[in-house]
Amino acid sequence: MEFTLLIIIIVLALIFDYINGFHDAANAIATVVATKVLSPFQAVLWAAFFNFLAYWVFGFGVADTVAKTASTMDINLVVILAGVIAAICWNLLTWWLGIPSSSSHTLIGGFAGAAIAHAGFGVVTWFKEGKDGGLPSGVLIVIAFIVLAPLLGALISYLISIWLLNSSKKSIYPKIFTLSIMAVTVWFVEKQMKYFADIEKPRFPSSEFWSVALEAHNIKWLLVAFIILSISTFCLVFSSLNIHQANSWLKKFQLLSSAAFSLGHGGNDSQKVMGIIAAAVAVYIHTSGVAQESLPDWLNVILPNDDKGIKGAMPSWIPLACYSAIAAGTLSGGWKIVKTMGSKITKVSSFEGVAAETAGALTLYFTEHLKIPVSTTHTITGSIIGVGLTKRVSAVRWGVTVSLLWAWVLTIPISALLAAITYYILSIFL
């Protein structure tokens, strides 16, 4: 019975991942479709490809955070099953209504709600201090980023927009500022890099260069450098371009920025499903009494434990399946939400598209680095608002935005309540 429940949870988690893909496809493709840089079909192909490519770029920090939403020693598989079912139901409802709610918070809310119904509020990891002065974790931190992620996206997109606008002027000062940005970026990224001696399992033991260049941690920071340096290069020549040339360049940059955001979307959202599957395996081991050593290789999941010095492990099929599912979902598209994201919040041109997607991508990369599961929906919405504010406050359609905010605030409590009800119903039969 326990093993059957585990398989059902894994299948439903991958279905949720697929739904997450088409629910959140709009986040990555709305602006390129709105500005007609790509057709809708080309846009979903583009986004899906980079969703899947994220498999080689990101680690499992966010997956670890999600897996520890509730203590796996104090729950059972029915809890996780109820959480996943509730998350699927809420995601489908918001997709049907065209509301760009957070799939991330739906999943975490569902997991937490079912766990509370099973064992009370104490089973949920509400707040945990960071190790060695690091960033704290827990559900309260995730809730805080409901506000912080869109604010960070809005701030970064606003600053990028101001930077681009000033670079279009024939003045030496914007160029000096741009060169400073380039120098700081190179210095910062170089400090973040892992070199051969620091890599525990080099991908190419016989080649130091390729091991360093293709280390997942390094690829992410090299992408950050590439994005910022590419925009910086454009800023240096922006003032010498006419309107047609500038618009042509910006449309090309939209391909880069949407690709970068799709990478962040795949890396951030797929990891949440990995976390749920990892938690399910950990609960199965605890409740079934099966020894870790006797598990087949394809189920050999080990949750990391910093306090005990235990490093996590996960069979490669789990991330591969999760990234494949979200890419397949993105290919299906989410056209109702595309309309909301691409035109209803503010009018989007190539200029706004580049600023918003770049800001969204950078926000996702940094939060993933900090192991915080944020909402890609919240992040890109905040970024679109940020570029709208550079024109005037009234350029943002605040009526639509306020409706979205209500959906964001209500997602976790409604998902939690729905999961609790689902848990009580399932408990009667299981």
Side-chain angles (χ1 to χ4, degrees):
M1 180 65 177
E2 292 287 328
F3 185 74
T4 303
L5 274 180
L6 176 63
I7 298 301
I8 291 171
I9 288 169
I10 291 172
V11 171
L12 286 178
L14 293 175
I15 290 172
F16 172 84
D17 205 18
Y18 172 82
I19 295 169
N20 187 353
F22 75 72
H23 187 283
D24 290 1
N27 298 342
I29 69 172
T31 60
V32 287
V33 172
T35 56
K36 298 180 180 174
V37 172
L38 293 174
S39 69
F41 180 69
Q42 289 171 330
V44 292
L45 278 177
W46 185 256
F49 173 74
F50 286 99
N51 275 171
F52 183 73
L53 200 63
Y55 170 68
W56 287 276
V57 177
F58 295 95
F60 305 131
V62 171
D64 175 33
T65 300
V66 173
K68 294 177 179 175
T69 297
S71 171
T72 54
M73 299 298 289
D74 299 312
I75 61 175
N76 57 29
L77 289 176
V78 179
V79 168
I80 300 178
L81 179 61
V84 174
I85 290 173
I88 288 173
C89 292
W90 181 246
N91 244 12
L92 286 174
L93 178 63
T94 52
W95 166 77
W96 181 255
L97 297 174
I99 301 170
S101 67
S102 168
S103 299
S104 312
H105 295 141
T106 301
L107 191 61
I108 291 170
F111 190 6
I116 291 169
H118 173 73
F121 285 89
V123 75
V124 175
T125 307
W126 296 104
F127 183 86
K128 183 179 180 181
E129 291 186 2
K131 189 178 180 182
D132 299 328
L135 198 73
S137 60
V139 173
L140 291 178
I141 300 300
V142 175
I143 292 172
F145 271 83
I146 292 177
V147 177
L148 294 177
L151 282 179
L152 188 58
L155 176 62
I156 295 175
S157 67
Y158 181 82
L159 293 175
I160 290 174
S161 300
I162 296 298
W163 178 24
L164 286 167
L165 286 169
N166 281 282
S167 296
S168 66
K169 300 174 183 177
K170 294 185 181 296
S171 170
I172 190 64
Y173 297 110
K175 290 179 173 56
I176 293 173
F177 175 79
T178 298
L179 289 171
S180 301
I181 289 288
M182 295 174 81
V184 170
T185 299
V186 171
W187 170 80
F188 177 78
V189 170
E190 193 277 330
K191 290 291 183 184
Q192 301 301 318
M193 295 285 284
K194 280 186 178 179
Y195 291 98
F196 193 74
D198 304 317
I199 300 173
E200 291 184 13
K201 294 181 179 179
R203 289 184 175 180
F204 301 92
S206 60
S207 173
E208 184 172 334
F209 173 80
W210 288 112
S211 292
V212 172
L214 297 179
E215 172 66 17
H217 173 88
N218 293 344
I219 292 174
K220 179 174 60 183
W221 289 112
L222 289 170
L223 281 170
V224 169
F226 180 70
I227 293 166
I228 296 175
L229 294 177
S230 296
I231 293 178
S232 299
T233 303
F234 173 72
C235 287
L236 290 174
V237 300
F238 196 2
S239 61
S240 63
L241 303 175
N242 59 41
I243 294 176
H244 175 74
Q245 290 172 324
N247 196 47
S248 177
W249 271 91
L250 286 168
K251 285 189 174 184
K252 291 182 177 68
F253 273 117
Q254 266 200 277
L255 294 175
L256 170 64
S257 60
S258 65
F261 188 84
S262 294
L263 272 173
H265 172 217
N268 199 287
D269 284 25
S270 291
Q271 283 192 56
K272 293 152 193 169
V273 178
M274 290 182 223
I276 289 294
I277 294 175
V281 174
V283 171
Y284 169 72
I285 294 170
H286 171 64
T287 57
S288 67
V290 176
Q292 181 89 42
E293 298 77 19
S294 63
L295 283 173
D297 290 340
W298 67 275
L299 273 182
N300 191 23
V301 174
I302 301 173
L303 293 182
N305 189 320
D306 294 335
D307 299 329
K308 297 180 179 179
I310 299 173
K311 292 188 177 181
M314 189 181 296
S316 58
W317 74 265
I318 295 178
L320 194 59
C322 290
Y323 281 110
S324 298
I326 200 168
T330 299
L331 274 174
S332 303
W335 308 117
K336 291 188 178 187
I337 299 175
V338 167
K339 187 176 180 182
T340 300
M341 302 295 286
S343 60
K344 287 188 177 179
I345 296 174
T346 188
K347 185 180 179 182
V348 177
S349 67
S350 293
F351 177 90
E352 284 86 11
V354 169
E357 287 163 349
T358 301
L362 292 175
T363 302
L364 290 178
Y365 291 178
F366 279 103
T367 51
E368 193 278 337
H369 178 67
L370 297 173
K371 302 181 181 180
I372 301 170
V374 301
S375 166
T376 54
T377 305
H378 296 184
T379 302
I380 194 63
T381 304
S383 299
I384 293 173
I385 290 171
V387 294
L389 289 174
T390 59
K391 293 179 280 190
R392 59 188 183 282
V393 174
S394 61
V396 177
R397 297 185 178 96
W398 294 106
V400 175
T401 305
V402 169
S403 299
L404 297 180
L405 289 173
W406 273 112
W408 298 353
V409 170
L410 294 173
T411 290
I412 286 183
I414 289 179
S415 300
L417 179 61
L418 187 59
I421 294 170
T422 305
Y423 170 77
Y424 288 128
I425 294 171
L426 290 174
S427 296
I428 297 172
F429 303 101
L430 298 175

